[in-house]
C-alpha cells in the first residue's frame, strides 16, 4: 500500500494537561471522556499513604512538597496547565489553603495551575449560587470541611449526604450515587455538588439534571472544564449549566 500525504499528516497536534492525582485515583478513563481528541492527560501521583480516606489522608495528599515534586515530574512533556485533581485535598485547609496550593504549583514551574476546589469556586461564583446540596463518599468530619469551605464563599449547604467510605470509592456504582443526589435534593438548593474525583459520575449527570431541573456539578467535570477553558478549548461531555461558566 502506498501512503498518501493525508495518512502522513499526523498525529493530531497534542495539547497537554498535567494532572496531580492522589495515589488512589482509579478513574483516569473518566477524565479522557471530558476532553477533546487533541488533549492528552499526563498524570503524576502523590506518594502512597497507608491511611484510610479521612481528614488525615486529605492533609497528607495535599503536601506542598509532594505537589511541587509531582508538578516537576510532568513538566517535561510541556503541559499548558497543571491541575491538582483532588477535592478533599484542596478544600481541607479552606480557601486560603486552596490558593496556597495553586501558588505552589506555579512556583514549581507550571504555566497555569488550578485545583478541583478552585474550579468549584469558579462555578459557584459565576453561577451566583447561594444555597446548594452536597454529596460525598467521605465520613462526616471530612464532609464538614467541605461545608466549611463553601461557607467561606457565603454558600449555604441546605442538605448533605455522605457514604462514610474509608476506601474503594471508585467501586461505587451509578445507582448509589444517583440515589444520594435524589435524597439530597431540596427545593431550596440551587444546585447539587458531588465531591471526590474518585467517585464515578459521568453518565448520570444529564439524566439527573433533566430530572431535578438544576445543575449537577461534579469534581472531575469542574476540574477538566476549568483546564480546557484556560486552553481555549471546547467543553466536552454532559453539564448543561456548567457551560455558562467555562464555555467560550
Amino acid at each position: 500500500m502506498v501512503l498518501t500525504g493525508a495518512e502522513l499528516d499526523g498525529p493530531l497536534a497534542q495539547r497537554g494537561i498535567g494532572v496531580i492525582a492522589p495515589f488512589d485515583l482509579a478513574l483516569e478513563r473518566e477524565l479522557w471522556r471530558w476532553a477533546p481528541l487533541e488533549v492528552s492527560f499526563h498524570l503524576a501521583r502523590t506518594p502512597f499513604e497507608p491511611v484510610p480516606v479521612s481528614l488525615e489522608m486529605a492533609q497528607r495528599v495535599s503536601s506542598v512538597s509532594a505537589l511541587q515534586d509531582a508538578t516537576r515530574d510532568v513538566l517535561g512533556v510541556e503541559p499548558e496547565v497543571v491541575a491538582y485533581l483532588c477535592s478533599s485535598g484542596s478544600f481541607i485547609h479552606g480557601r486560603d489553603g486552596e490558593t496556597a496550593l495553586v501558588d505552589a504549583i506555579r512556583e514549581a514551574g507550571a504555566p497555569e495551575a488550578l485545583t478541583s476546589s478552585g474550579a468549584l469556586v469558579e462555578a459557584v461564583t459565576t453561577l451566583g449560587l447561594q444555597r446548594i446540596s452536597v454529596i460525598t463518599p467521605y465520613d462526616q468530619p471530612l464532609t464538614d470541611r467541605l461545608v466549611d469551605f463553601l461557607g467561606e464563599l457565603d454558600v449555604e449547604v441546605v442538605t448533605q449526604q455522605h457514604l462514610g467510605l474509608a476506601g474503594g470509592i471508585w467501586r461505587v456504582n451509578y445507582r448509589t450515587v444517583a440515589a444520594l443526589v435524589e435524597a439530597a435534593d431540596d427545593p431550596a438548593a440551587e444546585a447539587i455538588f458531588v465531591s471526590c474525583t474518585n467517585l464515578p459520575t459521568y453518565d448520570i449527570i444529564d439524566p439527573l439534571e433533566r430530572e431535578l431541573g438544576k445543575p449537577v456539578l461534579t469534581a472531575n467535570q469542574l476540574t477538566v472544564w476549568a483546564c480546557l477553558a484556560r486552553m481555549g478549548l471546547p467543553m466536552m461531555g454532559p453539564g448543561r449549566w456548567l457551560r455558562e461558566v467555562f464555555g467560550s
Side-chain angles (χ1 to χ4, degrees), residues 184-233:
D185 185 36
D186 184 280
E190 300 163 326
I192 310 287
F193 173 57
V194 185
S195 188
C196 190
T197 56
N198 220 9
L199 189 66
T201 58
Y202 187 94
D203 294 295
I204 58 175
I205 294 172
D206 267 349
L208 283 170
E209 287 193 335
R210 288 195 299 270
E211 176 187 345
L212 303 178
K214 63 186 64 173
V216 175
L217 312 176
T218 75
N220 285 336
Q221 173 199 45
L222 290 165
T223 309
V224 177
W225 279 16
C227 289
L228 295 176
R230 285 157 172 79
M231 299 165 72
L233 291 173

Side-chain angles (χ1 to χ4, degrees), residues 20-24 45-49 51-52 54-64 66-67 84-90 92 101:
I20 304 169
F23 65 89
D24 63 342
R45 293 175 180 268
T46 61
F48 172 73
E49 301 286 356
V51 294
S54 59
L55 288 171
E56 181 181 6
M57 178 188 277
Q59 290 166 345
R60 291 193 184 192
V61 299
S62 59
S63 157
V64 166
L67 265 59
Y84 177 40
L85 186 83
C86 182
S87 296
S88 62
S90 55
I92 186 69
L101 294 179

Side-chain angles (χ1 to χ4, degrees), residues 4-233:
T4 67
E7 281 90 1
L8 297 175
D9 287 339
L12 187 65
Q14 177 176 288
R15 301 184 65 180
I17 296 175
V19 175
I20 304 169
F23 65 89
D24 63 342
L25 178 74
L27 293 188
E28 290 93 335
R29 184 173 64 175
E30 182 169 299
L31 298 182
W32 291 91
R33 300 181 72 186
W34 290 109
L37 184 61
E38 65 266 34
V39 168
S40 186
F41 292 97
H42 309 295
L43 269 72
R45 293 175 180 268
T46 61
F48 172 73
E49 301 286 356
V51 294
V53 176
S54 59
L55 288 171
E56 181 181 6
M57 178 188 277
Q59 290 166 345
R60 291 193 184 192
V61 299
S62 59
S63 157
V64 166
S65 61
L67 265 59
Q68 290 189 320
D69 286 345
T71 299
R72 297 183 188 103
D73 285 343
V74 299
L75 289 182
V77 289
E78 301 178 354
E80 296 179 39
V81 58
V82 176
Y84 177 40
L85 186 83
C86 182
S87 296
S88 62
S90 55
F91 68 60
I92 186 69
H93 295 300
R95 188 70 179 98
D96 288 344
E98 188 278 329
T99 301
L101 294 179
V102 171
D103 290 342
I105 294 169
R106 286 201 180 106
E107 288 169 7
E112 286 277 358
L114 61 94
T115 75
S116 296
S117 295
L120 173 61
V121 172
E122 291 182 41
V124 165
T125 302
T126 305
L127 292 174
L129 302 177
Q130 297 179 310
R131 295 174 301 278
I132 69 173
S133 294
V134 299
I135 309 300
T136 85
Y138 320 131
D139 60 15
Q140 188 65 63
L142 192 50
T143 302
D144 288 342
R145 289 293 183 93
L146 172 58
V147 174
D148 292 342
F149 181 85
L150 288 164
E152 291 188 62
L153 306 176
D154 295 324
V155 175
E156 175 190 356
V157 174
V158 179
T159 59
Q160 57 173 276
Q161 293 284 330
H162 66 278
L163 289 171
L165 296 179
I169 291 171
W170 67 89
R171 298 190 184 100
V172 177
N173 60 40
Y174 281 157
R175 189 177 300 278
T176 298
V177 179
L180 284 176
V181 171
E182 292 171 334
D185 185 36
D186 184 280
E190 300 163 326
I192 310 287
F193 173 57
V194 185
S195 188
C196 190
T197 56
N198 220 9
L199 189 66
T201 58
Y202 187 94
D203 294 295
I204 58 175
I205 294 172
D206 267 349
L208 283 170
E209 287 193 335
R210 288 195 299 270
E211 176 187 345
L212 303 178
K214 63 186 64 173
V216 175
L217 312 176
T218 75
N220 285 336
Q221 173 199 45
L222 290 165
T223 309
V224 177
W225 279 16
C227 289
L228 295 176
R230 285 157 172 79
M231 299 165 72
L233 291 173

